[in-house]
Amino acid sequence: MSTLRGVSHDVVFMCLLLQTLCANLYISPAGASEHAGGQFCFVPDRLDNRGEHLSPGDFVPLESSDRTQIFGSLLQNEGVSADGLLIALEETTANGAAEKVNQKAADGEMPTEDAGDEYEEDTENGQLLTIADPLSGWNRAMFYFNDKFYFWVAKPVTQAYSAVVPEDFRIAFKNFHDNLYSPVRLVNNLLQLKFKAAGNELIRFVMNTVLGAFGLADPAKEAFGIEAQDEDFGQTLAFYGVGHGFYLVWPVLGPSSARDTVGFVGDLLAYPLTYARNEIDTEEVLLIYAHEKINALSFRIGDYEALKKAAIDPYVAVRDAYVQHRAAKVKN
Amino acid sequence: MRKHIALVTLLFCVWVPAHVFAGMPTDDVRNCVNEALDILRDPALKGDAKKQEKEAKIRSLSAKMFDFQELSKRTLGRHWKTLSPDQRQEFMSLYRRILEDAYMEKIVAYTDEEIVFDNEIPLSEKTAEVRTTVRTKTADVPIHYRVIQSGGTWKVYDVVIEGVSLINNYRSQFREILSDKTPEDLLEVMRKKVGKA
């Protein structure tokens, strides 16, 4: 699923802001944290574990870890770990610099007077990721449309769906749809030189398709702790330095950008159903797609509402959340 | 040799940063999160009748958990200094109300997700990031608390959920407003928002 998210997040996707039940993302925080915390995060300088100097964006292959799970050491997700380290390093240095200046400001008579400037400079928590929005007229109109679409169509349909389909089934369906995107993740992990993650994806796809009844179950994760690393073509483009271009909101599909729209289309090339046209027709593909979206939404009803309630300007809030969220995924 | 030891000891005493004595960031965040969970799961506070009592408890906990001044300062960034002291006070209390109102419903409707404390990363002498994962039935949601040392404890000044920083999200909204309006206009927008809520 996530692969098509570049464009396909329905409006609801944005509720990433919430502390709650959102998200169907493939990140492996446990794995990442073992590395970032245990091995690296207290390294004060930009040195990796072999004493080499790093700069942001460097690709750092890691040694196998001491994970004791079966297959764990073989299958550990390398990409996540390495990036966890880089993020940690970037944050450490960026905030370190800013905090020092803030400290100086705090030592002065007016502690808060000048501090604001430094937050603006601060490249980590102060960094304001921005995106060009030359089509804001169109985008705001589509945002308004999607808002109505959510409340008038998507939400009631999803609620009815949830009332009929028990949660366990919906979880199985979610696994099924996620599994269909496995080839997409595989290709994009390869394109981003994340070979271990690509290997994981291959094992996941085979294991879940065969043992997991065409992906309805996720034995690769449940039994072997092999997690997916969510990569899509938008992220691959970003990996090679392509920027967002500009913000673009699609009707129904939701927030995207020029780059991620290209990514969305590109990913269709690796999506299995693209090649099943002889067996199923376009209408059925759309139905499967709609089911995927409704099924995913059934786990996050209420998120968009809360986001909207929290926002001063919901349009800007969603746009910013989109940019921040995508940036975080690119880092991973 | 003894001189050296004395010297080293002295240097150590001087150099040990204050936060060493303030406890660990993870502990402070964990305590607050656990306290919140206790309130949310308290059978005595179940039901609609007790909803107000529950909310009041959560509100008082949020004062303990969050550093709203730091949060406000970092949200407004360089605009912070364009506000008068009175405006800052009002901004802080309005901002807090907006956040609490918006998330209260979600918090109070809290079910039984497992929260895992992964690790903590020092960001600077006075700040750190406590990384947690909320395990839902369908996904692992990374939630990172950025904390600052404040009066002997660590208080939260930013929450980063799936890569989306709360203060940066509000910052881009406020910035858009402040690009062509005054701080007073911004406060008016916020007053309306709170009045409606």
Side-chain angles (χ1 to χ4, degrees):
Chain A
M1 55 79 248
S2 302
T3 310
L4 294 191
R5 292 179 127 222
V7 183
S8 69
H9 315 311
D10 19 34
V11 265
V12 180
F13 137 73
M14 279 308 159
C15 305
L16 304 171
L17 270 182
L18 296 184
Q19 302 243 6
T20 37
L21 345 156
C22 30
N24 25 15
L25 303 177
Y26 298 107
I27 301 175
S28 157
S33 61
E34 273 169 32
H35 279 296
Q39 267 179 276
F40 297 114
C41 72
F42 293 102
V43 177
D45 197 0
R46 287 171 172 264
L47 296 171
D48 70 2
N49 55 344
R50 285 173 299 270
E52 289 160 357
H53 280 277
L54 296 174
S55 54
D58 277 355
F59 180 71
V60 188
L62 295 179
E63 316 290 326
S64 62
S65 81
D66 54 0
R67 256 189 161 179
T68 49
Q69 285 166 314
I70 311 170
F71 292 163
S73 60
L74 289 174
L75 304 168
Q76 174 117 46
N77 191 329
E78 184 173 275
V80 168
S81 309
D83 288 348
L85 157 67
L86 288 180
I87 293 164
L89 283 173
E90 277 167 33
E91 280 165 355
T92 308
T93 45
N95 283 300
E99 282 301 325
K100 262 172 211 149
V101 192
N102 285 337
Q103 185 61 47
K104 278 185 201 154
D107 290 342
E109 277 196 350
M110 298 292 286
T112 57
E113 201 58 29
D114 296 310
D117 266 344
E118 307 315 325
Y119 297 128
E120 194 74 11
E121 307 289 329
D122 185 345
T123 49
E124 183 48 41
N125 66 51
Q127 179 193 39
L128 209 49
L129 296 163
T130 50
I131 187 168
D133 194 0
L135 304 179
S136 64
W138 158 272
N139 286 342
R140 279 187 188 267
M142 286 308 115
F143 180 80
Y144 181 81
F145 171 82
N146 286 340
D147 179 81
K148 296 290 172 237
F149 180 79
Y150 174 75
F151 286 107
W152 294 348
V153 181
K155 189 180 175 182
V157 168
T158 303
Q159 281 171 330
Y161 172 79
S162 293
V164 179
V165 183
E167 190 180 56
D168 288 347
F169 284 81
R170 286 185 280 128
I171 291 173
F173 288 141
K174 186 181 171 301
N175 289 334
F176 173 78
H177 289 300
D178 287 355
N179 193 52
L180 280 180
Y181 287 100
S182 193
V184 176
R185 289 190 294 268
L186 173 60
V187 167
N188 285 295
N189 272 308
L190 282 177
L191 289 174
Q192 294 177 45
L193 314 178
K194 294 171 178 170
F195 299 116
K196 233 175 195 176
N200 282 355
E201 204 56 61
L202 184 61
I203 293 165
R204 280 181 55 82
F205 186 58
V206 172
M207 196 180 274
N208 287 348
T209 304
V210 177
L211 299 179
F214 295 101
L216 285 170
D218 188 356
K221 183 181 173 187
E222 303 297 326
F224 297 99
I226 309 170
E227 307 219 13
Q229 158 96 353
D230 184 30
E231 299 294 348
D232 55 48
F233 196 55
Q235 292 179 60
T236 298
L237 291 172
F239 179 84
Y240 289 102
V242 180
H244 271 300
F246 52 89
Y247 187 57
L248 191 52
V249 181
W250 291 102
V252 184
L253 299 177
S256 185
S257 67
R259 179 194 76 202
D260 289 342
T261 300
V262 172
F264 173 78
V265 176
D267 281 332
L268 291 176
L269 292 175
Y271 184 63
L273 295 188
T274 306
Y275 301 98
R277 289 298 157 81
N278 293 333
E279 288 76 32
I280 46 177
D281 53 35
T282 310
E283 261 173 46
E284 282 167 328
V285 172
L286 285 177
L287 253 148
I288 291 170
Y289 184 74
H291 175 255
E292 175 200 334
K293 290 294 142 196
I294 290 165
N295 192 65
L297 182 57
S298 73
F299 296 105
R300 9 192 357 158
I301 287 284
D303 288 356
Y304 176 66
E305 290 85 333
L307 170 105
K308 205 179 154 190
K309 196 172 170 187
I312 309 288
D313 180 344
Y315 172 78
V316 176
V318 168
R319 189 182 65 195
D320 174 79
Y322 180 74
V323 174
Q324 281 200 57
H325 179 64
R326 290 297 289 174
K329 299 199 86 168
V330 168
K331 264 190 181 179
N332 265 324
Chain B
M1 185 63 196
R2 189 166 287 180
K3 226 194 251 173
H4 282 286
I5 293 174
L7 190 64
V8 169
T9 314
L10 183 71
L11 283 177
F12 185 72
C13 292
V14 175
W15 277 350
V16 169
H19 68 250
V20 168
F21 303 111
M24 296 301 278
T26 301
D27 295 334
D28 288 346
V29 173
R30 195 198 309 265
N31 287 341
C32 286
V33 169
N34 283 340
E35 214 173 303
L37 293 182
D38 287 345
I39 296 169
L40 297 174
R41 288 170 181 167
D42 189 351
L45 293 172
K46 282 252 152 50
D48 284 350
K50 298 282 186 177
K51 206 176 157 199
Q52 272 195 328
E53 193 183 335
K54 202 180 203 175
E55 286 185 3
K57 284 198 170 180
I58 291 286
R59 273 182 212 275
S60 77
L61 177 64
S62 85
K64 192 174 132 191
M65 184 169 180
F66 292 90
D67 184 336
F68 283 103
Q69 178 165 344
E70 192 66 22
L71 211 146
S72 303
K73 248 163 59 179
R74 286 180 185 253
T75 302
L76 282 186
R78 68 189 157 84
H79 292 291
W80 177 253
K81 67 178 174 188
T82 65
L83 268 65
S84 71
D86 285 349
Q87 284 176 323
R88 288 178 189 176
Q89 282 304 323
E90 192 183 358
F91 176 84
M92 265 163 51
S93 70
L94 287 171
Y95 191 21
R96 182 179 167 181
R97 268 294 297 279
I98 289 171
L99 290 174
E100 284 178 346
D101 286 347
Y103 295 109
M104 191 67 72
E105 242 169 74
K106 291 299 279 191
I107 294 172
V108 174
Y110 183 89
T111 48
D112 50 359
E113 275 74 36
E114 181 195 1
I115 299 173
V116 182
F117 281 80
D118 298 318
N119 65 330
E120 94 190 21
I121 290 169
L123 300 176
S124 74
E125 282 169 28
K126 284 169 63 193
T127 57
E129 183 170 285
V130 176
R131 301 193 158 181
T132 72
T133 305
V134 176
R135 298 203 189 289
T136 74
K137 279 176 186 157
T138 55
D140 290 345
V141 185
I143 297 182
H144 302 163
Y145 296 91
R146 294 197 173 144
V147 291
I148 186 164
Q149 195 192 331
S150 153
T153 60
W154 294 85
K155 289 192 168 182
V156 178
Y157 70 84
D158 193 10
V159 184
V160 184
I161 303 165
E162 297 192 65
V164 181
S165 145
L166 178 81
I167 56 177
N168 281 351
N169 191 263
Y170 275 96
R171 200 163 139 201
S172 45
Q173 297 175 57
F174 290 146
R175 205 166 81 147
E176 191 111 336
I177 293 172
L178 288 172
S179 68
D180 57 356
K181 295 198 178 82
T182 66
E184 184 52 36
D185 295 333
L186 172 65
L187 288 173
E188 187 53 36
V189 171
M190 294 172 78
R191 281 184 210 119
K192 268 190 196 148
K193 175 102 194 157
V194 167
K196 261 198 312 197

